[in-house]
Every structure is written in structure tokens, then in C-alpha cells.
Amino acid sequence: KWTETVALFEPLDQISGLFEIYFKFSSADRKFCPLVALSSDINALPISMKKALIDASDAQRKWVESLIKKGQKNRKVRADIS
């Protein structure tokens, strides 16, 4: 997993890395994020693929949330903004 590769970095650096990946998806020949591309057609996907897409999206959201909480605990991310 990519998240394990960057786990040694500070939370904000990990989030920056995620945004860097999204930027790469949006530039050059790609021009899209695979999760977003599949999400737009989620109703047309087989049930197993829907579940995998939802699971991947949930895992990514939970990972980012955990990084924000770690950053807030370490006072690297403001806690007074929701």
C-alpha cells in the first residue's frame, strides 16, 4: 500500500503526497482520478465493484481523517476549524 510507504512522514507531508498524486492524475495524459471516474458511473457497476469502490473511498477518507487528528494532536493542524 502507498499509505504504508509514506507512514514514516509527518501527517501533513502524507496529505501533501496524496494531493501530489491527485495533481498527477489531473495533468499529462490522465486528466482524471480513477476513483472519481468510477464513482460517476457507480450505478452501472457490478455489485462487487461498487463494494470495492465504496471500500476504497471509505479507507482513503478514514486515512485522511486519522492524519488530520494526528496533526491536531501534534499541533501541526489547527483544531479550531471544522
Side-chain angles (χ1 to χ4, degrees):
K1 279 184 168 181
W2 179 81
T3 56
E4 293 170 0
T5 304
V6 298
L8 298 176
F9 298 118
E10 293 292 323
L12 286 179
D13 293 330
Q14 292 180 58
I15 293 171
S16 278
L18 179 64
F19 280 104
E20 187 176 317
I21 288 171
Y22 282 136
F23 177 76
K24 287 179 182 178
F25 279 130
S26 70
S27 59
D29 294 333
R30 296 182 185 102
K31 305 276 189 233
F32 68 92
C33 169
L35 277 179
V36 173
L38 289 171
S39 295
S40 66
D41 292 325
I42 196 164
N43 291 326
L45 297 174
I47 292 173
S48 61
M49 216 169 162
K50 280 183 193 180
K51 182 180 180 335
L53 180 62
I54 291 168
D55 290 349
S57 180
D58 286 346
Q60 187 176 68
R61 179 186 47 78
K62 288 175 185 175
W63 177 72
V64 171
E65 286 175 353
S66 74
L67 292 174
I68 291 169
K69 288 176 184 173
K70 286 178 191 172
Q72 288 173 334
K73 183 178 177 184
N74 297 334
R75 297 182 183 205
K76 302 286 183 180
V77 175
R78 289 177 55 175
D80 62 331
I81 299 175
S82 57

